[in-house]
Structure formats: structure tokens, C-alpha cells
Amino acid sequence: MNYISAENLTKSYGLKVLFENISFNVNEGDKIAIVAKNGSGKSTLLKILMGKEIADSGTVVINKDIQVVLFDQEIAFAPELSIEEFMMTLDSAPILALKNYHAALLSNDADKMEAAIAEMENQKAWDLENEMKQFLSQLKISDTSAKMGKLSGGEVKRVALAKLLTETRAQHTHTLLIMDEPTNHLDLESITTLNNSLVNFKGTILLASHDHEMLQTVCNRVIELTPNGVIDRDMTYDEYLSDK
């Protein structure tokens, strides 16, 4: 199943050409390492694929039947939300089922409760709340009543990571996970938690990172941006380095 088709993408900033006329496809099951020299356009390419930036020329077609999840370098959040409220802003059917179940518990309405239980069963959401708490605990977040605006940069990154891991768990549809330098500001234990989760993730991944171990253990394909186009190989990161 084709997820993304990128055709003849070109992007420049002033006189600097980041990439020119590059083309590639992303298919179901791909776990792709996006590599390039610093300043060569990795983050820009991911933003173009997400529709956050516009290419100078070329086209991007994203399959309408897939769910795209982005973990960006800059984490957007409302500072007045608690950590628990931030976690529950996830946009997925299982999370909605969990919200409806909590609302039904407070309503004392038998019909609402019956519908909510059926929805929880349908979305396989019974373990979701415990898994959310487990991810937060693994990432050393204990006080879920704390306001997002009071957290340090590293704490925000870890909460956002727990939210991401919960979201990938909650998706039952075709999911594409796009990650831009996810290990920045994370300690070794948090990086290990992320790495293990990505290894076990059943979806499709586009990953830009300087973490050699993560690229090697997670990815099964490498796309390198070069001044002359892309080098695209179905192999591990270590195999790719050896091949070069």
C-alpha cells in the first residue's frame, strides 16, 4: 500500500538549494531513515510532506486512508492544560471512546453507559488509560496535575513523547509516524524507552535523527538527501554506511 508519493520536489532558501527534483515513495511497512548533512533540508522535507511548508516545485500525494502522526522538534501545547488534559487531547477513536466512558460514569445514565462500554469494546480501549500512565511513569512523569506551562523543556519533551507512544498504541488504522530529531533533550532512559517502542511499532516510520543506534535498530530503509538527488536503499543504516 502506497502512503506517500513525492515527485520532483525542489526547495531553496535564497541562493541555497536544499534539494532539487527529488522523488520517492513511502510504502506500508517502511521504516525510513532520512539522512543528510546538517542544513541540507531533512526537517524542511518532513515539513513539506506534512503540508507545513511549500516546495518551490513538485508534488506530494498522501493516501487519504492513512493516519499521519507527527513528532516535531518544537512541541505545541496550551500552557494552562494539565499533563493529564494534554494527554487526552489525542485525536483518535480509542481516546474518544475513553473520554465518553468517563463522561458516562459521571452521568449515571444507563443508556449512555451501555453505549460507552460497547464503544470501549469496539475500540479495544480498556487498557489504554493504564498504558498511558505506564508511558508517563517510564518517562519519569508522576504528577499529571502539573500545568504544561510550568514544565521544563525536557519535561515537555518527555510528556509529548508519552502522548506520542499512547497515540501510536491507540491507532488501529494505517499509521505513518513522522519524527524529527526525537531524542533531543531526552535522557538515556527515555531514549531507550522510545527506541524499544519504535522497534515494536507495527506502522510505518519516517525518522530524521542523529542517533546512530536508533537508526540502525529501527529502520529498514535509508533515504539520503544529496546535492545530486536522493540515494534510496532498502537496507539497515549500518549496511548503508558500509555500502557507501
Side-chain angles (χ1 to χ4, degrees):
M1 179 178 178
N2 180 258
Y3 277 26
I4 294 179
S5 294
E7 297 290 338
N8 299 318
L9 295 181
T10 296
K11 183 66 176 180
S12 301
Y13 284 118
L15 297 177
K16 182 176 182 179
V17 178
L18 294 180
F19 42 82
E20 187 172 14
N21 294 328
I22 63 171
S23 300
F24 59 91
N25 293 323
V26 178
N27 300 309
E28 186 171 35
D30 285 340
K31 294 187 176 180
I32 301 173
I34 302 291
V35 300
K37 293 180 179 178
N38 287 341
S40 298
K42 298 189 298 293
S43 295
T44 300
L45 175 61
L46 295 182
K47 288 177 181 177
I48 289 172
L49 297 180
M50 285 295 299
K52 292 192 168 187
E53 286 204 23
I54 300 174
D56 298 336
S57 60
T59 60
V60 174
V61 178
I62 299 180
N63 190 318
K64 63 179 178 59
D65 294 325
I66 71 170
Q67 173 79 24
V68 180
V69 180
L70 174 67
F71 191 71
D72 206 349
Q73 292 192 54
E74 299 298 325
I75 308 299
F77 61 90
E80 71 276 7
L81 292 182
S82 68
I83 291 174
E84 183 176 12
E85 289 168 336
F86 175 76
M87 293 291 291
M88 293 299 286
T89 60
L90 287 165
D91 182 21
S92 71
I95 289 292
L96 181 59
L98 185 58
K99 289 179 183 177
N100 290 340
Y101 176 70
H102 282 300
L105 285 174
L106 296 174
S107 72
N108 292 320
D109 185 312
D111 290 337
K112 283 186 178 180
M113 179 57 68
E114 184 178 355
I117 290 174
E119 189 179 5
M120 289 286 286
E121 293 283 354
N122 184 50
Q123 296 298 332
K124 300 179 176 64
W126 287 113
D127 295 328
L128 189 57
E129 191 167 23
N130 287 334
E131 290 178 350
M132 183 186 297
K133 292 176 180 177
Q134 185 178 30
F135 286 135
L136 286 167
S137 177
Q138 289 173 347
L139 293 165
K140 303 176 184 177
I141 302 296
S142 56
D143 182 10
T144 58
S145 66
K147 299 297 184 183
M148 292 294 296
K150 299 294 185 181
L151 304 182
S152 67
E155 288 171 330
V156 168
K157 192 73 178 273
R158 282 186 276 127
V159 171
L161 177 55
K163 181 179 177 181
L164 170 81
L165 297 177
T166 303
E167 188 165 10
T168 57
R169 152 63 180 86
Q171 298 296 341
H172 299 313
T173 56
H174 301 289
T175 304
L176 170 63
L177 177 57
I178 297 179
M179 309 189 79
D180 188 8
E181 298 297 345
T183 60
N184 286 357
H185 308 298
L186 293 180
D187 59 22
L188 182 58
E189 188 174 346
S190 299
I191 291 172
T192 300
T193 297
L194 172 60
N195 194 65
N196 291 339
S197 297
L198 294 182
V199 168
N200 294 319
F201 178 55
K202 302 303 182 184
T204 302
I205 297 175
L206 277 175
L207 172 62
S209 175
H210 287 96
D211 190 311
H212 184 124
E213 182 179 357
M214 180 170 288
L215 293 177
Q216 168 58 20
T217 57
V218 171
C219 298
N220 56 22
R221 180 179 165 195
V222 179
I223 293 179
E224 180 180 3
L225 306 183
T226 78
N228 299 316
V230 295
I231 302 173
D232 189 347
R233 296 288 186 272
D234 288 321
M235 55 180 61
T236 69
Y237 186 61
D238 281 351
E239 290 171 340
Y240 177 70
L241 293 178
S242 177
D243 192 55
K244 285 192 69 177

